[in-house]
């Protein structure tokens, strides 16, 4: 099966499962005991955060692979993982305040979970900017792989921040801590969001691969120092 | 008052609406970029 077909298959099944998960969470699950109707944001927020961390972890593994082997496909996977991770992590930074305001009466606070999440977004934005600024393929691959590994170190810190420090954020969600009635839509939404994230990753990888193949055929743009060197030479 | 937050559907709909809209927008951007990169 081709990459395009895999993308379509994962995307379509992800949307279907996600529709079911969100449908159950919004329509048939009872309101949460203390948060009321706003508790339904759980079925959206937790899976989005899960996919963001998963995508950044995929980028981290690809970064190690790219440094280890020098293979372009690892580099393209890293780029794809970071972009998908960014989409989902920006979304958690929007969903979180929408959930926090009616339940805790603030949109944002510099709590450990929120602060480390903001650092994660800024760090991976920096990696994407680096990829735009460095045109020479090998240099871009090595520099951004190192930057990805350094940025990823913060990802487990985001996850465990609610355990390591006093936090106003909800504790780590565990299967045992969620009521069965809420667990079904949560797990179904988690599966659907993961499949959707995988489809986004494959679609982004196809674009990166197409761009790379075109770049290989066309001469690469020189970096700024090389350009200056050429201009200085007689 | 029983300790449960009353209402809140507007926030729920905003969170879901923005997220689905962003996913649709990202899917569209991937489709357009794929068309551009395809030989």
């Amino acid at each position: 099966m081709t990459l395009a077909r895999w993308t379509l298959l994962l995307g379509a099944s992800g949307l279907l499962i996600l529709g079911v998960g969100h449908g159950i969470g919004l329509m048939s699950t009872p309101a949460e005991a203390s948060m009321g109707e706003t508790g339904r944001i759980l079925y959206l927020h937790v899976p989005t955060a899960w996919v963001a961390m998963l995508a950044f972890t995929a980028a981290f593994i690809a970064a190690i692979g790219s440094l280890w082997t020098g293979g372009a496909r690892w580099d393209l996977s890293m780029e794809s993982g970071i972009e998908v991770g960014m989409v989902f992590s920006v979304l958690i930074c929007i969903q979180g305040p929408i959930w926090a305001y009616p339940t805790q009466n603030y949109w944002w606070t510099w709590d450990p979970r929120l602060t480390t999440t903001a650092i994660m977004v800024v760090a991976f934005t920096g990696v994407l900017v680096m990829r735009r600024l460095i045109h020479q393929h090998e240099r871009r691959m090595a520099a951004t792989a190192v930057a990805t590994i350094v940025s990823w170190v913060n990802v487990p810190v985001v996850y465990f921040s609610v355990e390591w420090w006093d936090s106003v954020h909800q504790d780590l969600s565990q299967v045992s801590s969620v009521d069965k009635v809420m667990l079904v839509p949560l797990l179904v939404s988690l599966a659907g969001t993961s499949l959707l994230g995988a489809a986004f990753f494959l679609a982004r990888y196809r674009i990166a691969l197409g761009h790379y193949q075109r770049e290989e055929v066309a001469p690469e743009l020189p970096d700024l120092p090389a350009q200056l060197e050429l201009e200085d030479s007689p | 008052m029983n300790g449960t937050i009353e209402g809140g559907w507007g926030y729920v709909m905003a969170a879901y609406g923005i997220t689905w809209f962003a996913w649709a927008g990202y899917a569209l951007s991937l489709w357009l970029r794929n068309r551009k990169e395809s030989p």
Side-chain angles (χ1 to χ4, degrees):
Chain A
M1 196 151 69
T2 63
L3 210 54
R5 280 179 184 270
W6 270 112
T7 308
L8 275 176
L9 183 72
L10 288 173
S13 52
L15 283 176
L16 189 72
I17 294 169
L18 196 52
V20 172
H22 284 179
I24 299 170
L26 289 173
M27 289 182 280
S28 68
T29 308
E32 206 267 341
S34 59
M35 290 186 282
E37 306 297 353
T38 61
R40 299 180 195 280
I41 297 175
L42 175 86
Y43 315 120
L44 183 73
H45 190 60
V46 171
T48 309
W50 158 255
V51 173
M53 289 189 179
L54 207 62
F56 286 141
T57 303
F60 167 71
I61 294 166
I64 294 171
S66 113
L67 283 178
W68 194 271
T69 66
R73 282 172 191 263
W74 286 110
D75 180 58
L76 305 177
S77 300
M78 180 181 78
E79 182 180 285
S80 310
I82 295 172
E83 189 179 292
V84 173
M86 281 300 297
V87 169
F88 282 79
S89 54
V90 166
L91 278 171
I92 57 175
C93 291
I94 296 169
Q95 295 161 356
I98 293 174
W99 199 3
Y101 188 71
T103 53
Q104 304 194 57
N105 208 27
Y106 57 78
W107 294 102
W108 183 271
T109 179
W110 292 103
D111 158 84
R113 169 60 72 85
L114 277 65
T115 306
T116 51
T117 304
I119 292 169
M120 181 174 78
V121 171
V122 171
F124 281 106
T125 303
V127 181
L128 288 181
V129 171
M130 271 178 82
R131 290 191 71 85
R132 288 268 177 172
L133 294 177
I134 306 172
H135 297 296
Q136 207 270 330
H137 179 71
E138 281 76 21
R139 281 185 61 190
R140 180 176 62 208
M141 184 164 73
T144 56
V146 171
T148 300
I149 292 167
V150 172
S151 302
W152 184 85
V153 170
N154 181 47
V155 173
V157 179
V158 173
Y159 184 77
F160 289 110
S161 57
V162 289
E163 280 205 346
W164 292 345
W165 298 290
D166 286 335
S167 176
V168 294
H169 194 277
Q170 189 188 320
D171 289 344
L172 290 178
S173 295
Q174 290 167 340
V175 172
S176 57
S177 66
V178 182
D179 191 280
K180 272 183 187 167
V181 180
M182 297 170 77
L183 196 60
V184 172
L186 179 61
L187 291 180
V188 174
S189 301
L190 200 67
T193 313
S194 301
L195 289 172
L196 188 68
F200 282 156
F201 176 85
L202 285 186
R204 183 62 184 80
Y205 178 79
R206 280 184 71 210
I207 295 165
L209 189 64
H211 183 78
Y212 173 74
Q213 285 166 343
R214 217 170 44 132
E215 207 180 43
E216 256 198 335
V217 176
E220 287 180 349
L221 287 168
D223 276 329
L224 193 59
Q227 215 168 14
L228 290 173
E229 207 174 286
L230 281 173
E231 282 169 5
D232 289 342
S233 59
Chain B
M1 188 153 171
N2 60 5
T4 304
I5 293 167
E6 298 286 331
W9 270 110
Y11 295 99
V12 176
M13 287 299 127
Y16 278 83
I18 290 168
T19 303
W20 276 93
F21 184 77
W23 283 336
Y26 185 57
L28 180 67
S29 98
L30 288 171
W31 182 69
L32 290 173
R33 284 188 283 167
N34 184 51
R35 278 183 62 187
K36 194 178 153 196
E37 292 298 340
S38 297

